[in-house]
């Protein structure tokens, strides 16, 4: 009975580890490797896992025991590197024999409930990051300041006004449009010198850089289904951002009689 209970605990622990990693944006190979390492550390070598970009399938059985399976649907979401790092560290400690299944499961639950940083902290990071991107893109110091202001206002819009109220398509289209309007307003006020650079720096926080990297890694690891799904999600985000920028720019230009883009230094 104790052996059966221990196997059930390990089964739930491995399943939760895969769910947390996948929900946090980890690549498929990392999820599978971590799940296998945890199961092997507790001597459960008959666990089989199948992971795709939005789901985890875990099964065990054979050898006279009843079969057990669990399927978890994990929607595509934002990246949480802090959770990924914590799960990786926990898996290393498990491999070193530092935790029982009960202790590891409790720690994993705490990792799954790790809160995000405060809004003020994230807004400051987005502002600094947007300004840095503006400078890296070849802008002047004035462009970097404008990118920082645009990135801050865009972050506040996304977090305080439309958080969880819009679909991904609507969110990124409206975000690209707002960043364009803010950039044009800043240029009109004399803050900034190159409009395309200011727009690019402002929307940099919405670019799916980690998702694109994981899609390439999944394809390289022959996880073609997951890589293709993630790549499609990346393309969708980029198209929505570009559409929002284009529509906002065209709208303002039409109201300005086609003179706005001509008067602003591009």
């Amino acid at each position: 009975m104790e052996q059966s209970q221990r196997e059930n605990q390990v089964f739930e622990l491995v399943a939760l580890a895969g769910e947390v990693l996948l929900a946090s944006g980890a690549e498929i190979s990392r999820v599978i490797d971590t799940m296998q390492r945890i199961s092997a550390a507790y001597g459960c070598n008959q666990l089989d896992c199948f992971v795709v970009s939005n789901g985890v399938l875990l099964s065990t059985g054979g050898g006279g025991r009843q079969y057990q399976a669990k399927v978890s649907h994990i929607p595509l979401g934002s990246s949480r590197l802090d959770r990924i790092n914590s799960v990786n560290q926990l898996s290393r400690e498990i491999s070193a024999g530092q935790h029982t299944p009960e202790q590891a499961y409790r720690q994993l639950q705490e990792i799954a409930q790790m809160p995000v940083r405060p809004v003020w902290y994230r807004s400051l990071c987005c502002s600094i990051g947007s300004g840095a991107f503006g400078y890296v893109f070849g802008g002047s110091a004035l462009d970097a300041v404008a990118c920082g202001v645009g990135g801050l206002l865009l972050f506040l819009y996304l977090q305080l006004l439309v958080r969880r109220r819009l679909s991904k398509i609507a969110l990124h289209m409206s975000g690209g449009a707002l960043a364009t309007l803010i950039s044009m307003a800043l240029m009109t006020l004399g803050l900034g010198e190159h409009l395309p650079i200011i727009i690019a720096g402002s929307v940099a926080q919405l670019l799916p850089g980690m998702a694109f990297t994981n899609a390439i890694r999944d394809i390289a690891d022959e996880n073609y289904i997951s890589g293709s799904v993630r790549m499609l999600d990346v393309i969708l985000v980029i198209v929505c951002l570009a559409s929002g920028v284009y529509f906002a720019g065209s709208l303002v230009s039409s109201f300005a009689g086609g003179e706005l883009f001509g008067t602003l230094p591009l």
Side-chain angles (χ1 to χ4, degrees):
M1 183 66 179
E2 293 183 357
Q3 180 65 21
S4 177
Q5 183 179 3
R6 176 183 172 85
E7 291 172 352
N8 289 333
Q9 292 173 344
V10 174
F11 183 87
E12 294 297 332
L13 171 63
V14 173
L16 182 58
E19 294 168 8
V20 173
L21 284 174
L22 194 61
S24 302
E27 64 273 18
I28 303 301
S29 58
R30 182 189 298 272
V31 178
I32 295 176
D33 180 70
T34 302
M35 295 173 69
Q36 291 176 342
R37 286 179 180 272
I38 293 176
S39 61
Y42 292 118
C44 298
N45 297 315
Q46 293 181 328
L47 285 176
D48 294 320
C49 56
F50 178 74
V51 182
V52 292
S53 58
N54 58 349
V56 176
L57 170 61
L58 184 65
S59 65
T60 183
R65 296 184 297 128
Q66 291 184 342
Y67 283 89
Q68 186 177 9
K70 182 176 183 179
V71 179
S72 302
H73 174 253
I74 311 295
L76 294 176
S78 58
S79 301
R80 289 292 304 272
L81 296 179
D82 54 342
R83 289 179 180 173
I84 295 175
N85 181 66
S86 297
V87 175
N88 288 340
Q89 180 60 34
L90 178 60
S91 68
R92 298 187 190 98
E93 295 174 358
I94 291 174
S95 298
Q98 300 180 16
H99 302 286
T100 64
E102 298 88 350
Q103 295 172 342
Y105 191 82
R106 286 196 297 268
Q107 289 199 25
L108 200 53
Q109 287 180 314
E110 295 176 359
I111 293 173
Q113 298 173 0
M114 288 176 61
V116 297
R117 298 282 186 176
V119 174
W120 69 266
Y121 182 88
R122 289 180 288 149
S123 61
L124 178 62
C125 291
C126 280
S127 180
I128 295 175
S130 296
F133 271 112
Y135 189 78
V136 169
F137 291 155
S140 62
L142 199 60
D143 291 331
V145 174
C147 289
V149 174
L152 174 62
L153 295 177
L154 178 59
F155 174 83
L156 294 177
Y157 162 76
L158 296 174
Q159 293 295 317
L160 303 180
L161 296 181
V162 301
R163 185 180 182 183
R164 297 180 180 178
R165 298 175 185 173
L166 296 178
S167 65
K168 177 174 289 189
I169 294 176
L171 185 146
H172 286 88
M173 287 189 68
S174 62
L178 179 62
T180 303
L181 296 176
I182 293 174
S183 301
M184 289 180 172
L186 293 174
M187 287 285 295
T188 304
L189 295 175
L191 184 60
E193 300 175 353
H194 304 91
L195 181 59
I197 292 178
I198 299 175
I199 295 175
S202 298
V203 302
Q205 60 184 284
L206 294 177
L207 294 175
M210 184 172 178
F212 176 77
T213 302
N214 286 343
I216 296 298
R217 295 186 65 174
D218 288 342
I219 293 174
D221 291 333
E222 299 182 359
N223 296 309
Y224 299 119
I225 297 177
S226 301
S228 300
V229 170
R230 283 180 169 173
M231 186 61 71
L232 181 61
D233 185 66
V234 169
I235 294 174
L236 175 65
V237 170
I238 294 175
V239 169
C240 291
L241 280 176
S243 299
V245 172
Y246 174 79
F247 289 142
S250 299
L251 182 64
V252 174
S253 182
S254 62
F255 276 109
E259 297 180 356
L260 182 61
F261 284 105
T263 56
L264 294 178
L266 300 181

